[in-house]
Amino acid sequence: MPTDSIAPSEDVSSKVDIPPVEDLLSTAVEAVGGVERPGQITMVRAVQHAIESGDHLAVQAGTGTGKSLAYLIPSIRHAMTSKGAVVVSTATIALQRQLVDRDLPRLAKALAPQLPHEPAFAILKGRRNYLCRYKASAGWPDEEQDQLFDPREVNATGRMVQRIQEWANETETGDRDELVPGVNEQAWRQFSVSARECLGATRCPSGTECFAELARARAGESDVVVTNHALLAIDAMEDFPLLPEHEVVVVDEAHELVDRVTSVVSGELSETMVTVAARRVGKLIEQHLADRLMESGEDLKALLAAAPAGRLDELPQVLGMTLALVRDAAWACITALGPRNGDKDDPEGAGLRRAAFTSLDEVHDTAQRMLDAFGHAEEVDRAEVVWLEAGTDRRPPLLRVAPLTVAGMLRDKLFGDRTVILTSATLALGGAFDGLARQWGLGGGKGAAEPPVDGAEGKEEKDGKGGKGGKGRAGWAGIDVGSPFDHPRSGILYVAKHLPQPGRDGLPEAYLEEITELIEAAGGRTLGLFSSMRAAKAATEALRDRLSVPLLCQGDDSTMLLVKQFADDEPTCLFGTLSLWQGVDVPGPSLRLVIIDRIPFPRPDDPLSSARQRHVAAKGGNGFMSVAATHAALLLAQGAGRLLRSQHDKGVVAVLDPRLATARYAGFLRDSLPPFWPTNDPAKVRSALKRLSDS
């Protein structure tokens, strides 16, 4: 990042006549040796129009469109003429790194001669992602060490702690992601603090050299700040700002926004959390108060161990009493701690008090939140769902609470006073944007201002009820700028209509035979996407003896190494589950066939999904289509999107679940997929795969 560039807060736009976005795009594409595409031109104009009009914009841009350039160029142009940065939010570390390490450096250098100054950019993450110099030097105790009962795990964590200590003396950023190989959460927690635990730069002895504060300072001097959906959500929800002042947000990988925000605003409560809070406060207040909190945690532990896992529609009396005991004991400890800003002259004591307050607040507020989730006369009045998650060998059972919708939060907090551009290869589900728009809180209706397309191809959807914030937002628009790939000529969508419907007892023999025949016709080169890890492993075990090509299964090694091995050896096949449905990028002949075992509906017993379906139905909507079918459509589209990753790719997406051809909702799901050439004929598909294999 250039250190001598003019800060964006200094208005110099009058000194330089900034070219229109089309000219900047031409310059950028030429600099990177690319070719302008109609969809990219359409998108760059639409994003520019949204920024100028203040309307929110949803853009579906297929793989290969070049959407990063299409949103970065108008964002940079806006930053040059305004006093704030543009925030770009992504869901994955991989895309963050691509933007900061590759796209933005090349773009900044290419555009600098035509702009007031060379664009400055920075990456900003949550405070937990940065090493805390003071905590590392103060040697704060780790209250969870004795929770690691496995001596091997204790030893492994100890080695990681030692590696972090060595790295702490060398790192210039303190960014956890630069510590390779990575470390587990137990080790990292001993060197990091949350925003609520932080003493603040003015009170902390290490405040002037704090990695998190230095990252914020760099972000404050930048034109483009790259962050993640979680920090974007926290910044929007909290009273204190974490991101620099900004009027425009670009949400890339926007299909994941709702899930990431839901995760941020969900809560959990377990005996371990109560115990940690009691230990943190134990040396700071009268012992009998800390003991009272510890005893309430033991009561919670006994209750959760005996209770069945699953969603709680009514609050059992004994659970209500136990939650009240936990809440009241935590409040007594909070009160006994006294003023939150005490011990100003004792940084170490202030750090311990802040850590205690953080744990106690979380325990108290979550217990109260769970109690408040019950007692509503009607289902439509319910705001949150509570469920018990079974324990494992590595952790005890715990209670979770999550909102039934985040639409209101997003509408008020994210869309209310800024322009938001949302983009992904998968947004128009069933051919329309309104399903995700409702989840974002943008509502329905007509009347948004049109993004100009000027003759370029693009499907558009307009809406005007959502997003009216402090600046009088007119509404939102949705536009599909298409894909540079010729899907009907490059890919086949094969639905195995002749197979039986999938059951709950594993893969039927007919499915295994179908998979075998398809892989043999393709000569390997297959990515198998399964609805569960159990199904992926069962298929791997059953087929390794039947197939003559190498077969890898997720879990055999790190996912990154497995994908690399799959890409490097053409005949190799790779089977796996959820994390392979998104983000796998294997262009070329190593991937000719994507197999999807079944429509990826959420499990019927999934507490949050089932509660959301019921809530939508209670409000007069179609819970299945709004929640389950939308979830399945997103994953199907993401999975099918693994096939074509370059202009020269060809192949087949094979869905073994016949419901994609026969069910009443099948049309909605198929309309969410790329426009491949469709067939139900297995002989035609095997013949096409054989021709590809022989070519």
Side-chain angles (χ1 to χ4, degrees):
M1 185 181 73
T3 56
D4 57 349
S5 62
I6 303 171
S9 58
E10 183 178 338
D11 187 6
V12 296
S13 59
S14 60
K15 300 178 183 179
V16 178
D17 185 15
I18 302 178
V21 289
E22 294 90 346
D23 293 351
L24 295 176
L25 177 63
S26 296
T27 299
V29 170
E30 182 180 356
V32 300
V35 177
E36 286 187 42
R37 303 179 178 96
Q40 191 178 46
I41 297 171
T42 301
M43 181 173 175
V44 79
R45 289 172 176 163
V47 173
Q48 177 67 19
H49 176 79
I51 291 174
E52 291 175 348
S53 68
D55 289 325
H56 307 301
L57 175 69
V59 185
Q60 177 164 287
T63 302
T65 302
K67 63 182 170 67
S68 295
L69 282 184
Y71 65 67
L72 286 174
I73 285 172
S75 296
I76 289 172
R77 192 179 190 280
H78 172 74
M80 294 290 144
T81 60
S82 68
K83 293 185 178 181
V86 171
V87 171
V88 176
S89 177
T90 76
T92 62
I93 293 173
L95 184 53
Q96 288 178 39
R97 296 258 55 105
Q98 176 187 316
L99 290 172
V100 173
D101 295 341
R102 191 189 73 179
D103 294 350
L104 280 166
R106 294 196 297 180
L107 187 57
K109 184 177 180 180
L111 298 183
Q114 297 178 278
L115 300 175
H117 63 267
E118 183 170 331
F121 52 90
I123 189 168
L124 186 61
K125 305 175 184 179
R127 191 171 291 270
R128 272 281 189 199
N129 292 277
Y130 299 98
L131 181 138
C132 172
R133 289 187 186 272
Y134 179 59
K135 187 170 184 179
S137 63
W140 291 355
D142 178 21
E143 301 87 354
E144 297 185 38
Q145 265 306 299
D146 63 354
Q147 300 296 325
L148 300 174
F149 299 111
D150 187 339
R152 293 171 299 178
E153 192 153 335
V154 172
N155 291 336
T157 298
R159 290 191 293 272
M160 291 178 185
V161 166
Q162 183 177 358
R163 193 152 56 82
I164 297 172
Q165 290 170 333
E166 296 170 354
W167 172 76
N169 297 322
E170 305 168 357
T171 179
E172 296 181 0
T173 66
D175 186 338
R176 178 181 180 177
D177 291 329
E178 295 182 7
L179 183 59
V180 179
V183 297
N184 65 29
E185 192 62 29
Q186 285 83 6
W188 182 253
R189 193 178 292 122
Q190 298 180 53
F191 296 87
S192 66
V193 296
S194 66
R196 295 184 180 277
E197 291 172 319
C198 177
L199 294 175
T202 58
R203 297 181 63 199
C204 178
S206 302
T208 58
E209 53 182 3
C210 171
F211 287 123
E213 292 296 328
L214 290 172
R216 288 190 65 191
R218 287 192 294 270
E221 297 173 353
S222 299
D223 299 293
V224 177
V225 178
V226 179
T227 188
N228 56 63
H229 294 351
L231 186 62
L232 181 70
I234 295 170
D235 177 74
M237 307 300 171
E238 295 286 359
D239 296 330
F240 49 88
L242 300 174
L243 295 168
E245 180 182 347
H246 59 282
E247 296 178 341
V248 176
V249 175
V250 177
V251 180
D252 204 344
E253 302 171 304
H255 62 280
E256 294 199 47
L257 180 63
V258 169
D259 285 345
R260 299 297 174 119
V261 172
T262 298
S263 179
V264 166
V265 298
S266 296
E268 62 182 50
L269 188 64
S270 68
E271 175 264 338
T272 300
M273 293 174 58
V274 179
T275 299
V276 168
R279 288 180 177 173
R280 284 185 171 184
V281 78
K283 298 179 180 179
L284 305 175
I285 62 174
E286 294 181 16
Q287 189 61 44
H288 73 92
L289 293 174
D291 290 344
R292 176 183 164 193
L293 180 60
M294 187 74 77
E295 290 168 3
S296 72
E298 293 172 357
D299 291 343
L300 182 66
K301 176 182 180 180
L303 179 61
L304 298 187
R311 191 181 73 206
L312 298 173
D313 294 330
E314 302 293 337
L315 180 63
Q317 183 177 9
V318 64
L319 177 58
M321 294 173 60
T322 304
L323 288 173
L325 285 174
V326 170
R327 176 200 61 191
D328 295 344
W331 182 251
C333 293
I334 291 171
T335 303
L337 270 176
R340 290 180 180 262
N341 293 324
D343 297 327
K344 291 184 178 180
D345 298 326
D346 178 15
E348 183 173 354
L352 294 175
R353 284 169 52 82
R354 182 64 65 93
F357 271 122
T358 300
S359 287
L360 291 168
D361 286 341
E362 185 174 10
V363 168
H364 172 273
D365 295 350
T366 305
Q368 183 63 59
R369 183 177 167 186
M370 290 175 173
L371 290 168
D372 292 342
F374 299 95
H376 302 287
E378 302 290 340
E379 173 61 33
V380 293
D381 299 323
R382 192 190 297 264
E384 300 203 287
V385 59
V386 178
W387 71 94
L388 175 60
E389 193 169 289
T392 67
D393 294 339
R394 300 172 63 88
R395 63 160 181 77
L398 52 83
L399 284 171
R400 293 192 181 275
V401 58
L404 288 167
T405 175
V406 295
M409 299 179 200
L410 289 173
R411 181 182 61 244
D412 297 339
K413 301 294 187 178
L414 178 61
F415 295 97
D417 57 0
R418 55 180 63 84
T419 299
V420 183
I421 315 296
L422 305 113
T423 185
S424 168
T426 310
L427 293 181
L429 303 180
F433 291 85
D434 57 339
L436 284 179
R438 282 192 294 269
Q439 293 186 12
W440 296 330
L442 293 180
K446 298 288 182 184
E450 295 187 15
V453 296
D454 290 357
E457 293 184 4
K459 291 187 298 182
E460 193 183 326
E461 180 171 315
K462 295 176 287 183
D463 193 305
K465 288 190 177 179
K468 291 191 177 181
K471 296 189 178 181
R473 301 274 180 243
W476 69 276
I479 184 169
D480 181 356
V481 301
S483 167
F485 301 156
D486 188 346
H487 286 90
R489 290 180 177 271
S490 301
I492 296 173
L493 173 62
Y494 165 54
V495 180
K497 187 178 178 180
H498 63 284
L499 291 179
Q501 286 197 19
R504 296 186 179 183
D505 300 325
L507 289 172
E509 177 61 26
Y511 278 50
L512 296 174
E513 292 177 358
E514 186 80 21
I515 295 172
T516 301
E517 292 174 354
L518 289 169
I519 291 177
E520 287 177 343
R525 306 172 183 185
T526 299
L527 178 65
L529 302 176
F530 292 83
S531 54
S532 69
M533 184 55 75
R534 185 178 69 173
K537 289 182 176 179
T540 303
E541 292 174 5
L543 295 177
R544 272 186 172 148
D545 292 337
R546 303 188 190 188
L547 296 171
S548 59
V549 295
L551 178 53
L552 307 174
C553 185
Q554 191 174 2
D556 291 346
D557 205 330
S558 75
T559 300
M560 181 178 67
L561 291 176
L562 289 173
V563 172
K564 184 178 186 304
Q565 188 176 346
F566 170 61
D568 290 345
D569 183 36
E570 283 189 23
T572 296
C573 302
L574 174 60
F575 287 1
T577 186
L578 194 58
S579 62
L580 296 185
W581 288 69
Q582 305 181 72
V584 173
D585 189 8
V586 181
S590 290
L591 178 53
R592 294 300 195 200
L593 172 62
V594 175
I595 294 177
I596 296 174
D597 71 328
R598 63 191 299 161
I599 298 172
F601 291 118
R603 289 171 54 97
D605 59 353
D606 178 82
L608 181 55
S609 175
S610 60
R612 284 178 166 173
Q613 289 188 59
R614 184 180 63 179
H615 189 67
V616 170
K619 296 172 73 173
N622 186 322
F624 172 80
M625 293 300 296
S626 296
V627 179
T630 295
H631 172 92
L634 271 175
L635 271 181
L636 270 179
Q638 286 288 313
R642 300 312 97 206
L643 181 66
L644 304 184
R645 309 303 297 177
S646 75
Q647 294 276 9
H648 305 292
D649 289 347
K650 296 181 182 295
V652 172
V653 174
V655 181
L656 307 185
D657 190 335
R659 292 176 295 177
L660 191 60
T662 61
R664 55 182 173 78
Y665 49 78
F668 171 79
L669 296 179
R670 290 196 303 270
D671 287 344
S672 304
L673 298 175
F676 297 117
W677 185 78
T679 184
N680 300 323
D681 188 335
K684 287 183 179 179
V685 170
R686 291 194 296 269
S687 177
L689 287 170
K690 189 70 169 59
R691 288 195 301 272
L692 274 178
S693 177
D694 293 340
S695 64

